[in-house]
Amino acid sequence: MEDLLSVIVPVYNSEEYIGSCVESVLEQSYSAFELILIEDGSTDNSLEICEALCRKDVRIRLMKQEHRGVSAARNLGIETAQGKYLFFLDSDDMIHRRLLESLYRLQEEKHAVIAAEGRHYAMDDADWRASAWKTDMKRTPKSLYMDNKKALKSINKPILCGIGGKMILREAIDSLRFIEGLSHGEDTLFIYRLLAEGADLSVLCCNWYYYRRHGDNASRDLSPEACKERYRVERSICKQEIRNGRRENAVCRERDAVIMITEWYGKGRRYQDTKLINYAKNLAERERRLKIFHELNWKIKLYFYLILYFYPLSRVALRVSINIPTAFRFFERQIS
């Protein structure tokens, strides 16, 4: 008898997407799963749609709560899940029909705490099915393994970006929970805390997680409140890595924090968002006084100063630079 998998889907105002999300789970080649929908007090028709979906398949369970945010919804899913592995899926995303089976086989073979896969970014279902669905169904996907040390260095790489598409060994989560009240960066912090406790990672080398791009993606929220939460997460991880004696990792986190600040400032200038500009400027002043800031690569620091303090000049510099750091490719797009 195969092990039970628990698919956890927080639902909040997702009436447009939840149907196709659930359909992609019900189409899975691996059938031994429970699909837990956590309805987080939606104000649209999401609840009614979820109730109708529950009548469609006995493997779907619906949990309801007053609106408390995505972290609280995921925590409720963790607490009620009965599977050996937990798979996290966002309500506006979809998955390839072989994904659960392939991740499960990979977990059983490699015995890693976390399993992940590549993402396919698209705007609509037609794009997803036309491109990501094209695969040889008899082929065994390639995979790679990262031990804890390598996984910790990769925490901000796309393969570990977000909790969506991650399959995690239930017993490894234990009492770990998402921090409630934190709506941006909460998944990065959750994955980091797993890695900090020694978790390793297996990666399925297929873009079988469909990440739907739309205007309501939390990652596109550039309000000062959202940016503060993301920055707080980066700063928290950086400090923890210093305490753990992993200075090289801490410098990488500092680099990522600096990249975020410069991106926010650049977008603020582009969209004439005074609040975002002022927030990024104030944050930059604090950042440059940190000791670890001065351990960054000189190119990163140069572009940081150019963009934050000599923005018109940075536009010229980015056009003529021969060796622009990958992290700053963003600005090439902004000045075109």
Side-chain angles (χ1 to χ4, degrees):
M1 184 175 179
E2 293 185 303
D3 294 303
L4 181 70
L5 308 180
S6 296
V7 181
I8 298 173
V9 183
V11 181
Y12 180 70
N13 289 349
S14 303
E15 62 179 3
E16 186 177 352
Y17 310 115
I18 187 59
S20 56
C21 172
V22 169
E23 179 187 354
S24 74
V25 178
L26 298 181
E27 290 177 349
Q28 290 297 299
S29 59
Y30 189 93
S31 60
F33 64 80
E34 60 173 353
L35 173 54
I36 306 172
L37 305 178
I38 305 97
E39 214 299 310
D40 186 36
S42 296
T43 57
D44 63 2
N45 294 317
S46 293
L47 176 57
E48 291 78 7
I49 295 172
C50 288
E51 290 173 336
L53 289 168
C54 283
R55 293 191 290 269
K56 183 177 181 179
D57 197 301
V58 295
R59 293 172 297 179
I60 304 177
R61 287 200 285 139
L62 176 60
M63 312 294 295
K64 292 181 266 188
Q65 65 178 24
E66 294 183 359
H67 184 51
R68 295 169 52 202
V70 66
S71 293
R74 289 188 181 124
N75 288 341
L76 180 57
I78 292 172
E79 289 156 11
T80 59
Q82 300 173 7
K84 179 178 180 179
Y85 298 101
L86 309 187
F87 179 81
F88 294 89
L89 174 61
D90 291 340
S91 61
D92 51 353
D93 297 339
M94 296 169 61
I95 54 177
H96 188 280
R97 67 182 301 270
R98 282 187 62 198
L99 182 57
L100 292 185
E101 177 187 1
S102 299
L103 289 181
Y104 170 71
R105 304 296 178 207
L106 187 59
Q107 290 280 55
E108 291 293 286
E109 176 188 351
K110 301 295 185 181
H111 303 290
V113 170
I114 306 171
E117 71 291 320
R119 285 183 172 187
H120 174 80
Y121 297 88
M123 298 296 293
D124 53 42
D125 294 0
D127 181 23
W128 165 240
R129 293 186 182 280
S131 52
W133 255 219
K134 288 181 180 178
T135 196
D136 181 358
M137 298 306 292
K138 296 180 180 180
R139 179 175 61 86
T140 300
K142 294 181 180 179
S143 64
L144 58 89
Y145 172 78
M146 294 184 185
D147 60 20
N148 176 253
K149 184 177 180 180
K150 188 172 183 179
L152 270 169
K153 289 182 178 180
S154 304
I155 184 66
N156 252 17
K157 298 293 190 293
I159 200 66
L160 278 173
C161 179
I163 195 68
K166 307 302 182 293
M167 184 175 284
I168 302 175
L169 182 64
R170 175 66 179 86
E171 67 178 29
I173 292 178
D174 193 24
S175 60
L176 182 64
R177 296 293 183 270
F178 291 88
I179 296 177
E180 298 190 14
L182 187 63
S183 301
H184 300 84
E186 79 291 340
D187 44 1
T188 298
L189 188 56
F190 183 86
I191 293 172
Y192 169 74
R193 290 163 71 193
L194 274 173
L195 296 175
E197 293 178 5
D200 51 356
L201 171 71
S202 290
V203 179
L204 189 72
C205 300
C206 292
N207 295 336
W208 281 0
Y209 187 89
Y210 167 38
Y211 182 86
R212 191 192 306 264
R213 293 185 185 275
H214 57 80
D216 294 329
N217 288 139
S219 60
R220 297 194 176 192
D221 185 353
L222 291 177
S223 65
E225 294 74 20
C227 293
K228 285 177 184 177
E229 288 190 344
R230 295 190 189 103
Y231 177 77
R232 193 171 70 192
V233 168
E234 288 294 331
R235 187 85 279 123
S236 172
I237 295 176
C238 182
K239 289 179 180 178
Q240 185 63 41
E241 287 299 276
I242 292 175
R243 286 194 292 268
N244 290 338
R246 295 187 286 258
R247 193 78 186 183
E248 183 180 348
N249 287 0
V251 172
C252 288
R253 305 311 303 182
E254 174 62 16
R255 179 200 62 201
D256 292 338
V258 165
I259 290 169
M260 283 198 308
I261 294 169
T262 51
E263 284 188 353
W264 294 338
Y265 183 77
K267 287 185 177 180
R269 291 290 296 257
R270 182 185 182 191
Y271 299 119
Q272 298 182 336
D273 185 335
T274 304
K275 288 185 178 180
L276 186 58
I277 291 172
N278 291 337
Y279 173 69
K281 268 283 195 181
N282 292 335
L283 204 55
E285 287 298 313
R286 290 169 49 190
E287 201 69 20
R288 60 196 287 242
R289 291 195 292 267
L290 296 177
K291 182 179 179 181
I292 197 166
F293 172 84
H294 299 284
E295 298 179 38
L296 293 175
N297 178 289
W298 69 268
K299 290 183 181 180
I300 298 290
K301 289 187 286 186
L302 172 62
Y303 280 97
F304 172 83
Y305 282 115
L306 279 174
I307 291 161
L308 268 300
Y309 301 98
F310 305 97
Y311 187 74
L313 178 60
S314 73
R315 294 160 63 91
V316 176
L318 284 165
R319 282 198 178 102
V320 302
S321 176
I322 296 174
N323 187 24
I324 299 174
T326 302
F328 292 92
R329 298 293 180 189
F330 161 82
F331 293 103
E332 290 183 292
R333 299 193 295 272
Q334 306 311 306
I335 63 177
S336 59

